[in-house]
């Protein structure tokens, strides 16, 4: 008899592998180049996606990029030459849609990560990274595809995607691990 927890780990890891193997590497490259060349970067997500976005913002900061998290008092205005990077797994998050319109109207470039390629948010984006994973938009009934609840497989895939993007950005920017480490806070 197998351990139930090990079986669930295996299923969840298999789902993450299946989802991430279908992410478009060219879209990741275009996103990384846009972030590397941005005058400013604004990051936003809701709920648990926000936690992943904030973790990504921290790593962008470690790379030396000019990043801020929307909602923080130190978030500057975005405009020409800037990138607004949002996560909306379901693609219909009202706050994300509103902020994407504000960014677009100010002249910023909209970058989106979503699971819904035909969503309202995808229609507003200049570049979309599609993570074909279950979110709260499709976690009920016959649409349910994951052993994990609600949008967990999407959120887990965000973490791994962002770590790979950081590795690619590190190469694009020519940043060393020592330089990244030197930017880590000493206020912990």
């Amino acid at each position: 008899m197998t351990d139930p927890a090990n079986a669930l780990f295996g299923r969840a890891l298999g789902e993450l592998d299946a989802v991430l193997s279908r992410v478009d590497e060219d879209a990741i490259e275009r996103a990384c180049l846009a972030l590397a060349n941005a005058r400013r970067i604004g990051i936003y997500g809701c709920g648990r996606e926000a936690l992943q976005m904030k973790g990504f913002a921290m790593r962008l900061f470690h790379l030396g990029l000019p990043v801020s998290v929307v909602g923080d008092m130190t978030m500057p205005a975005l405009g020409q030459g800037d990138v607004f990077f949002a996560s909306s797994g379901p693609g219909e998050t009202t706050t994300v849609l509103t902020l994407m319109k504000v960014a677009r109207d100010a002249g910023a470039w909209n970058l989106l990560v979503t699971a819904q390629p035909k969503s309202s948010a995808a229609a507003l984006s200049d570049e979309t990274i599609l993570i074909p994973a279950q979110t709260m938009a499709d976690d009920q009934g016959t649409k349910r595809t994951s052993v994990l609840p609600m949008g967990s497989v999407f959120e887990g895939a965000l973490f791994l995607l962002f770590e790979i993007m950081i590795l690619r950005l590190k190469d694009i920017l020519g940043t060393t691990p020592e330089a990244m480490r030197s930017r880590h806070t000493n206020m912990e």
Side-chain angles (χ1 to χ4, degrees), residues 26-167:
D26 292 334
I28 294 170
E29 182 70 10
R30 288 187 300 271
C32 287
L33 290 171
L35 292 169
N37 293 304
R39 183 177 69 117
R40 287 191 201 112
I41 302 164
I43 299 282
Y44 185 77
C46 296
R48 287 169 42 118
E49 291 177 42
L51 299 174
Q52 299 302 331
M53 295 301 285
K54 288 176 181 179
F56 185 58
M58 180 182 184
R59 287 288 186 248
L60 293 175
F61 176 80
H62 292 157
L63 287 171
L65 291 172
V67 62
S68 298
V69 176
V70 174
D72 288 349
M73 290 189 296
T74 57
M75 175 70 204
L78 295 181
Q80 286 286 47
D82 298 334
V83 173
F84 175 60
F85 187 16
S87 176
S88 178
E92 301 298 333
T93 316
T94 306
T95 312
V96 170
L97 296 175
T98 300
L99 291 170
M100 289 179 81
K101 289 173 187 172
V102 170
R104 180 194 59 201
D105 291 348
W109 196 74
N110 278 322
L111 174 59
L112 174 72
V113 62
T114 187
Q116 303 296 329
K118 296 181 182 191
S119 65
S120 300
L124 289 169
S125 71
D126 295 295
E127 181 66 51
T128 299
I129 300 173
L130 177 65
I131 297 178
Q134 175 182 293
T135 68
M136 287 185 66
D138 51 14
D139 71 331
Q140 304 283 314
T142 59
K143 291 182 177 182
R144 183 183 173 95
T145 59
S146 179
V147 65
L148 298 173
M150 298 179 274
S152 292
V153 72
F154 180 81
E155 297 147 5
L158 282 178
F159 173 78
L160 292 171
L161 168 68
F162 292 159
E163 292 301 302
I164 297 307
M165 288 178 70
I166 291 301
L167 292 176

